[in-house]
Amino acid sequence: MITDARVLQAEFSPKEVEHRDQEVDVLSSALEPIVAGQPGETALIFGPSGAGKTCIAQFTVGRLQEAVGEMNQQYVNCWQDYTRFRVLYRVLEGIGRAADVHRQSTPRDELLERLRKYDGPQYVVILDEVDQLEDPRVLYDLYRMSNISMVLITNREEELFAQMDERLSSRFGSSVRIQFERYTLDELVSILSARARWGLVADAVGRQELALIGDAAAGDARVAIGILRNAAHRASREGVDEISVDVVHQSIPDGKDEVRQKTIEQFTEHQQILYNVLVDAGETQPGELYDLYCERVDDPKTRRTIRNYLSKMDHYKLVVSDGNGRNRTYRLR
Ligand SMILES: Nc1ncnc2c1ncn2[C@@H]1O[C@H](COP(=O)(O)OP(=O)(O)OP(=O)(O)O)[C@@H](O)[C@H]1O
């Protein structure tokens, strides 16, 4: 049944992308000056979870690198690398200048100085989940570097700008904006068909089954691929060569659950604690949640940081079992 398991993984970066020609074109135009050795315009990509923002950014920057030849690129997930220091570290890492940096002892100014001295080829930095930065001033640090271009990705534009002071928002207010919408059912079906073609035996799944998966995924390609992956494994276990409607129905809860579980596994310690507070407390107001969270940690993050974490969990529509076999989505705002 499965001929290439990698293409059914969420992390897989496809060589061909479906249905985002316009978004690819706008981002390519923003970065076009790089072809002539100049920095590109800052691009700001926003839209809901699973709409292909990361995939399209990586695809477009990858394609540009192939065309330009000499160009550097780095992907930073600000959900994981959320401090100013860690972002600068990752940016230096992308040009091979971070090997001797020590988290405890190297001063941040030293990192900035190294970046300022960078005079190599044009360098594109993709900052994903950029609204999760603890200190958005790092965007200004990067903005001032001569050979660096930025692609910023966030779920909601307002959340990013709400954290910026006037200087930052006026700098980034003129970024090239690219809005991503949820995928339609037909679009999800063609994304899934491509994955089935690359990763499953011929005729393993029909259009009707793919449409069922797409419908359950409600516009989110990550969830759709997760359900397909589960269905393929289930069919393999059952020793059949075809994914039936029944198999799809049985795979929907597991597929969704796996995506949720993966998201939770990526949480930092404080996000994990907050998530556990949420699970234990059920439907609660954000203010109460903050107090409950503070009771469980010695060094609480600020209210603003916790609000950011909550809004992220909300975007991921984290569904938690209430222990009675029912699932419920916690309302966070
Ligand atoms: N147009 C597309 N063609 C092929 N695969 C796609 C496309 N869009 C998304 N995918 C796949 O769907 C999955 C989710 O996409 P992606 O991570 O880009 O979503 P996102 O919008 O960045 O979501 P989030 O906000 O949750 O990070 C990935 O496995 C990606 O490869």
Side-chain angles (χ1 to χ4, degrees):
M1 159 73 52
I2 300 172
T3 52
D4 186 352
R6 284 170 318 151
V7 306
L8 301 174
Q9 296 297 327
E11 308 74 49
F12 177 73
S13 282
K15 289 223 159 42
E16 292 162 38
V17 295
E18 315 275 329
H19 296 296
R20 289 295 194 216
D21 294 350
Q22 206 198 334
E23 291 81 356
V24 170
D25 285 351
V26 179
L27 182 56
S28 300
S29 305
L31 300 176
E32 176 79 21
I34 291 175
V35 178
Q38 301 294 319
E41 288 182 71
T42 304
L44 172 56
I45 297 179
F46 54 98
S49 258
K53 303 182 297 297
T54 308
C55 168
I56 274 14
Q58 290 183 322
F59 170 79
T60 311
V61 173
R63 205 175 63 167
L64 180 69
Q65 187 165 32
E66 274 170 26
V68 173
E70 254 217 310
M71 183 194 110
N72 288 311
Q73 59 160 309
Q74 175 69 308
Y75 171 82
V76 184
N77 188 329
C78 305
W79 179 238
Q80 275 127 31
D81 293 310
Y82 50 85
T83 65
R84 202 169 168 189
F85 186 94
R86 276 164 75 153
V87 171
L88 293 172
Y89 175 88
R90 300 273 286 130
V91 174
L92 280 171
E93 193 184 49
I95 45 173
R97 301 194 185 182
D100 56 342
V101 171
H102 298 286
R103 279 213 184 137
Q104 313 298 339
S105 55
T106 312
R108 190 176 60 216
D109 283 351
E110 161 73 20
L111 270 59
L112 280 168
E113 193 48 34
R114 287 189 193 194
L115 271 182
R116 238 176 256 128
K117 285 194 187 136
Y118 174 67
D119 59 358
Q122 291 298 319
Y123 184 13
V124 180
V125 179
I126 301 175
L127 293 158
D128 205 349
E129 317 272 11
V130 67
D131 53 301
Q132 292 300 312
L133 285 175
E134 219 167 58
D135 185 352
R137 277 178 302 177
V138 70
L139 298 177
Y140 195 67
D141 296 338
L142 298 179
Y143 183 83
R144 290 190 307 170
M145 305 296 165
S146 50
N147 290 352
I148 292 184
S149 312
M150 280 183 276
V151 178
L152 311 178
I153 306 179
T154 180
N155 288 117
R156 272 214 291 255
E157 193 184 5
E158 312 84 272
E159 261 151 38
L160 176 63
F161 282 96
Q163 293 162 33
M164 292 182 175
D165 61 18
E166 228 170 276
R167 184 185 62 164
L168 270 174
S169 52
S170 81
R171 289 270 184 255
F172 288 94
S174 58
S175 310
V176 173
R177 291 175 162 70
I178 313 172
Q179 161 87 58
F180 279 58
E181 304 293 345
R182 277 183 199 295
Y183 284 112
T184 63
L185 183 58
D186 282 346
E187 289 170 341
L188 282 183
V189 169
S190 63
I191 290 172
L192 290 171
S193 299
R195 298 293 161 118
R197 231 178 14 255
W198 301 329
L200 303 181
V201 294
D203 303 322
V205 59
R207 203 199 132 84
Q208 188 196 352
E209 289 74 21
L210 292 183
L212 254 182
I213 296 175
D215 193 45
D220 184 328
R222 183 180 295 110
V223 173
I225 294 169
I227 299 173
L228 177 64
R229 182 175 57 245
N230 265 273
H233 283 298
R234 187 178 288 270
S236 291
R237 280 198 304 275
E238 292 177 4
V240 292
D241 270 348
E242 238 177 274
I243 297 176
S244 63
V245 166
D246 271 356
V247 165
V248 171
H249 278 303
Q250 288 159 11
S251 307
I252 290 171
D254 286 351
K256 288 185 175 178
D257 202 50
E258 222 178 79
V259 170
R260 179 178 67 82
Q261 204 49 47
K262 273 214 137 170
T263 308
I264 295 168
E265 278 164 19
Q266 286 170 13
F267 284 177
T268 60
E269 187 198 345
H270 281 257
Q271 290 158 354
Q272 188 75 60
I273 293 169
L274 180 68
Y275 180 72
N276 291 338
V277 167
L278 266 176
V279 174
D280 295 345
E283 295 199 31
T284 330
Q285 295 303 311
E288 287 172 54
L289 278 179
Y290 187 72
D291 295 340
L292 290 168
Y293 153 80
C294 288
E295 283 170 16
R296 296 198 191 181
V297 292
D298 293 332
D299 52 344
K301 302 274 180 194
T302 62
R303 278 181 192 272
R304 188 174 76 79
T305 302
I306 293 303
R307 260 202 311 275
N308 272 1
Y309 292 171
L310 286 172
S311 85
K312 200 75 220 165
M313 291 177 192
D314 198 20
H315 286 305
Y316 281 119
K317 297 199 181 50
L318 288 173
V319 177
V320 189
S321 166
D322 65 3
N324 296 318
R326 287 187 302 264
N327 282 334
R328 50 201 266 213
T329 305
Y330 285 93
R331 294 305 317 151
L332 303 174
R333 276 176 301 194

